[in-house]
Structures are given as C-alpha cells and as structure tokens.
Amino acid sequence: MRIGLLTEGGYPYATGEARLWCDRLVRGLPQHEFELYALSRSAEQERARIPLPEHVTHVRTAPLWAPADDGRTYSRRERRRFADCFKELVHGICAGAPDPFAAGLYGLAGLAREQGGLYAALRSESAVRALEAACRAPGGSRTVQAAHVADLLEFVDELERMLRPLSLDWYEEDARGEGLGAVDVCHAAAGGVAVLPGLLAKRFFGVPLLVTEYGVQLRAHYLSHLGAGRGEEPRPAVRALLAAFHLRLASEIYARADFLTPGNAHARRWQERCGATRDRLRTVYPGMEADRFATVGESADRGEPDTLVWVGRVEPAKDLIALLHAFAEVRRAEPRARLRIFATAADPGYLADCRSLAAQLFPDEAADSVTVGENPVAFEEIGGPEAPSAAEAYGAGRVVVLSSVIEGFPITLAEAMLCGRATVSTDVGAVREVIGGTGLVVPPRNPRALAEACLSLLGDAERAERLGAAARARALELFTVEQNVAAFQEIYLRLLAKGSQRPDGGGIPFARPPEARVPGHWTSPTWAKPAPDPTSEAAV
C-alpha cells in the first residue's frame, strides 16, 4: 500500500516528542511504502532532517516561510474567474458560511491547477477590494466590519501563505508514478493547513483522506500568540478574520475526511462540535517507546521519598508559578521536601521569573554553619550529570507533578506513568482521560489543592507505590508504539477496502497493480492489450 503522509512543521524535520509518533508509525509499518509531503516553517527546520527508513520512497517539501512568487500573471478571463472564486471564499470567511467557503477554496485550487500559482492574484488590489466588500457586508461581526486597510493587507498576506498548498505541483502523477493523486491513502499527521493537500487529492483524484490530530489545530490557533515574530500583536480585526478562516477550514476538513483519529476524547469533542460525525471517528492514543522507561519502571527503587519532580517545557501554560506557591505550602508541612524541575526547553523570560520567585520563596538553606547553602528547588536540564535521560529525571522522586493550565495530550504524564510513578495533575485537557484513576487530579490554578495532593502521597509511600504500579500497567496497555501502529494498520486497510472514487479504479481495491509504476516493458500501453487472433484479418 502507498501512504501519502502530510505534515506541517513536523516530520521529517522536527524531533520533538509530540511529533516523533510519525517516525514510529512509519518504522512500524515497513510493509507499506510512505511518501512524505512536508510543509516546512523555516530554513533552520529543514536543515534538521532526521534519517528515514528505506520504505520512505521520496520526500517533497514546500516552504511556508519563503516567498512563493512564480512570476505567473493571469489573463483578463482568468482574473475574472479568480475574482469570482475569491469573493466566495472571503464571503464564507466573513459571514461564516460553509458552502461559499468550500466553493471558493476548490475553485481557487482548480484555477491554480490549470493556470499556475496564485501568489500575484492573492496579493492583488482586486483581492483586497473583494475582502473589504465581504467585511462590510451585512451578517459579519462588528470587529470584522471595522477592519481598516492595514488589517486587510495583513490578512491577505497571511491568507496567501496559508493557501500556498493550492499551488503546489504535488498532485498530478509524474513519469515516475509519484504524486498525491497516485497514492492509496492520504494521511494528514495534523489538522489545519497540513490537510489542504489531502483535501485536493480527495477532490480531484478520489484519494481517501485520513486526518490525525493529537492537538486540535483550531484550539491551538485560539490559544496561540498570533503576533509572535512580527514584533506586535495583530489587531482585533486580523485576529477575528484568522479565527474565522481556521474555523471554516476545520469544518471543511471534518466534513470531507473519510476518517478522523483524534488522540484523546478532549480532541474528539472539539471535532464533533465542529461537524465531525461519530461513525468516522476513532480515538487512537499516540505511540510511545515504552522500552526507554522500562529500567526505571521495573526497578524496585522508587526514587527519593521526599522529592517532587516536574518535567516539561518551561512556559506560562505550564503554570510553574502556581507549582512554586504550592511547594511553599508543602515545605511548611514537610520541611525535608524538595522540588526538582527538569526543563526539556524553556521560554527564557518565564524561566527567569520562575527562578526569581523560587529564590524569594525559598532562601538557600544550610545544615550547619560550615555547609554551603542549598535551595530546595532545583532547576535542571535533561541530559546533565544528574539526569542524563528523561527516564532518570522521572525516577528521581516519588511523585511527578503536572501543574498546567492548558494541555492537549500530556506526553510527560504518560511518560511518568511508564516509569511507574504516582502523579498529581491539574484537571485540564486530556489529563483525566490519560490518568484514568491511577493518580490524583486537582483543579488548575489552585496551589492549595495541589499542595494537599502532593503531601498526601509524600506521606503515604504504600499508596504512592500502588498508584505508580497501576499507572504503569495502564500506560503499557494504551500508550505504546505497538497499539498505535496496529490501530493505523487496521484503519489503512479499512480505507483501502472501502475503495475510492478514482476514475481509473472505479473504487475497486487494488484495481491498479503495483507493477504499473515500475519501469519496464509492462508499463507500455500495448503490453496490457490482448495478442491479436492469428486467424483474424488484422493478424494476416
């Protein structure tokens, strides 16, 4: 089977844990051929490409960060066609109408497929005027109706970048048999813009589309800092237009995808609310390498009995400020307690704030007059001498804490469970679903509740050990690479057996034999024709 894997800002370039599931999936299915179609976000990212297995037949990359001007200009007739399609698209965005949005999106894709890139047209004065008319039309929000010229220009610039997949040459099958139009299944490894090539392959070639979302892109957009990298926040009208575009795109994806695999029930609820039907949904948890944590998870050593451990990216969403205040309460009740914070990455400004708060709350302490003082809160990095691996970081203490106010699928929590550690977590995102009763869950932004839960486990070693063992058993059942690969193998076969709307295959599985794209005499048009009857006049 040929799988076209679609990514944006991820595999095969990013190496973060949240995206490594793509590599594990590909390596876990060597019986299939994978073709990677990656939308990259920066030149630096493209230089960090990871090694690929042999059954990845080719990789095609399109930069979303580079200018896409191909020098193509349209004739007067083509400009009229573009104007009609673009008016429908922006009307769907501004008025929240799904049908005009879809008609405009596929109309622009058809124009780009026939005539070339959309760069110049999308940045033209006519595009800005069409957007302005759509914003001023009745039915739109007050924020959108109040958009100024600067807002329109900024949104058109963003829209051109997000619609670049419409102009790619990924779709038509080339002489080597490569192209999204020739694969058996398109698998988008994320939502949002990454799915656009899959939507077009389904629209123009009938290729089945599978969409996996471990973090809902629409939700991530609502929570993101849209002004990062441009020096200032986008104005309200730009934010409203971008939010409307992502909502319409998400609704179109959920309506057209043949199958959707959310990574947790939290993501599934978002998809259902945006129009996905339950018969096309199946929760597939991300696959994690359990072997990395086996030594710590199976060890009799339960870590330092008075130590709390936190692991993750140091950023505001993780709410380490609340954790530090909670630990202040823990220290008042248990003076021997320690907190070790292991950073996998960090927001420098937020890390400095956390260090400053820790220094204020917990002055350095010394056992006697000749011993160097030491702070009970330690900020460390995974890979250092104290914790050369993530598993050893989790194993450093009896209890692992997660204090986030925003979470999708909590990867660090699942890793702590694989290490057999009792956990205390805030009730956000998919935390409760992942824990499943094997840890303590408290409300977010509540340092007192967080402190009480930590103290209850620090003071009861038997309970902590029992919860840790139950957590490891649950993680081994639900969050391993094996269960993830088996689930997608079944879904691939299901989509293939269902058939497609291809004109060449009539929806029949395997109607097009694999040897049809292998160079040789059998690929010629005459090879498949029956030999002439020697008794016929044509043979004579």
Side-chain angles (χ1 to χ4, degrees):
M1 189 188 309
R2 298 174 66 188
I3 312 298
L5 190 60
L6 312 174
T7 66
E8 181 202 355
Y11 188 69
Y13 304 111
T15 57
E17 179 63 39
R19 298 185 180 99
L20 277 179
W21 74 270
C22 284
D23 190 53
R24 295 165 186 160
L25 172 67
V26 170
R27 294 180 186 278
L29 293 172
Q31 67 271 38
H32 300 310
E33 291 182 10
F34 282 86
E35 301 175 7
L36 302 185
Y37 297 85
L39 300 172
S40 67
R41 293 176 182 167
S42 67
E44 292 76 17
Q45 183 184 70
E46 292 187 20
R47 289 194 287 268
R49 176 168 162 174
I50 63 177
L52 298 172
E54 292 183 355
H55 60 284
V56 175
T57 57
H58 73 277
V59 179
R60 301 181 75 173
T61 300
L64 293 181
W65 50 272
D69 189 0
D70 57 359
R72 180 72 172 86
T73 57
Y74 289 164
S75 66
R76 181 179 300 177
R77 182 176 181 180
E78 292 164 354
R79 288 198 298 270
R80 283 199 301 268
R81 181 179 169 186
F82 168 81
D84 293 340
C85 296
F86 190 76
K87 286 177 183 176
E88 286 192 288
L89 180 77
V90 294
H91 170 65
I93 294 172
C94 297
D99 291 340
F101 177 85
L105 182 69
Y106 296 123
L108 291 176
L111 179 62
R113 183 183 174 196
E114 296 171 16
Q115 304 297 336
L118 298 169
Y119 179 87
L122 286 170
R123 290 173 174 268
S124 63
E125 182 180 350
S126 61
V128 177
R129 290 185 180 279
L131 175 61
E132 182 180 24
C135 290
R136 305 286 188 264
S141 68
R142 291 183 179 179
T143 304
V144 170
Q145 290 180 344
H148 299 293
V149 173
D151 301 325
L152 303 177
L153 292 173
E154 184 175 346
F155 177 68
V156 165
D157 183 63
E158 284 291 328
L159 190 61
E160 183 277 322
R161 185 186 63 82
M162 292 184 291
L163 294 182
R164 285 181 192 175
L166 304 187
S167 303
L168 297 177
D169 60 349
W170 287 357
Y171 308 103
E172 304 287 349
E173 184 177 1
D174 60 20
R176 296 176 295 177
E178 298 174 354
L180 278 173
V183 301
D184 296 310
V185 173
C186 267
H187 184 179
V193 176
V195 190
L196 276 175
L199 285 174
L200 301 191
K202 179 177 174 62
R203 175 81 173 189
F204 296 125
F205 301 98
V207 179
L209 175 60
L210 167 66
V211 178
T212 297
E213 279 192 299
Y214 287 122
V216 178
Q217 291 294 310
L218 178 61
R219 174 179 177 271
H221 172 80
Y222 288 156
L223 298 174
S224 66
H225 221 36
L226 296 181
R230 286 198 295 268
E232 60 180 10
E233 289 285 330
R235 287 176 287 272
V238 180
R239 290 201 302 270
L241 287 168
L242 287 171
F245 170 82
H246 284 285
L247 176 59
R248 293 273 60 84
L249 179 59
S251 299
E252 179 65 15
I253 290 169
Y254 299 149
R256 303 300 177 192
D258 293 274
F259 210 74
L260 295 155
T261 53
N264 51 71
H266 179 67
R268 182 172 181 148
R269 288 193 292 271
W270 271 82
Q271 293 176 343
E272 288 181 345
R273 185 169 294 183
C274 291
T277 56
R278 293 192 174 185
D279 60 310
R280 294 181 293 117
L281 284 166
R282 176 179 172 182
T283 301
V284 178
Y285 296 114
M288 305 176 66
E289 294 177 320
D291 292 345
R292 291 172 52 204
F293 309 99
T295 302
V296 173
E298 296 172 2
S299 172
D301 182 8
R302 297 289 93 187
E304 292 294 328
D306 300 317
T307 299
L308 300 174
V309 170
W310 183 95
V311 179
R313 177 180 173 84
V314 178
E315 59 184 358
K318 303 302 181 182
D319 202 9
L320 286 178
I321 300 298
L323 175 60
L324 291 171
H325 283 289
F327 185 64
E329 301 227 6
V330 171
R331 285 279 294 181
R332 280 192 283 271
E334 180 53 71
R336 295 173 299 176
R338 294 186 62 206
L339 172 62
R340 297 181 68 178
I341 295 174
F342 293 94
T344 57
D347 176 332
Y350 188 70
L351 177 59
D353 291 342
C354 292
R355 287 182 180 274
S356 176
L357 179 60
Q360 294 175 27
L361 292 175
F362 313 102
D364 291 352
E365 300 174 356
D368 50 54
S369 59
V370 296
T371 306
V372 176
E374 188 176 287
N375 196 298
V377 177
F379 290 86
E380 308 172 49
E381 291 184 4
I382 293 177
E386 295 289 330
S389 69
E392 289 171 311
Y394 292 114
R398 173 175 291 176
V399 178
V400 175
V401 186
L402 182 141
S403 54
S404 303
V405 292
I406 298 171
E407 278 289 347
F409 183 92
I411 294 289
T412 57
L413 201 57
E415 290 178 343
M417 293 168 68
L418 287 169
C419 290
R421 290 300 183 262
T423 58
V424 175
S425 314
T426 48
D427 190 9
V428 292
V431 165
R432 189 180 292 271
E433 178 186 359
V434 170
I435 289 296
T438 66
L440 304 185
V441 180
V442 300
R445 297 189 180 92
N446 192 331
R448 179 172 296 178
L450 194 62
E452 290 175 356
C454 291
L455 284 169
S456 69
L457 293 182
L458 289 176
D460 191 341
E462 183 180 347
R463 183 188 184 194
E465 186 171 353
R466 187 170 62 250
L467 286 173
R472 177 165 168 78
R474 177 176 175 81
L476 288 173
E477 179 183 359
L478 297 178
F479 308 132
T480 62
V481 175
E482 291 75 16
Q483 67 83 22
N484 182 271
V485 169
F488 281 112
Q489 166 72 349
E490 179 186 340
I491 293 169
Y492 288 158
L493 293 175
R494 173 177 174 177
L495 289 174
L496 189 63
K498 182 181 177 182
S500 66
Q501 294 78 41
R502 293 180 185 276
D504 61 345
I508 303 173
F510 305 108
R512 187 179 187 196
E515 60 267 21
R517 59 188 178 86
V518 179
H521 69 280
W522 47 80
T523 60
S524 63
T526 59
W527 181 79
K529 295 181 180 179
D533 185 350
T535 62
S536 66
E537 293 182 4
V540 176

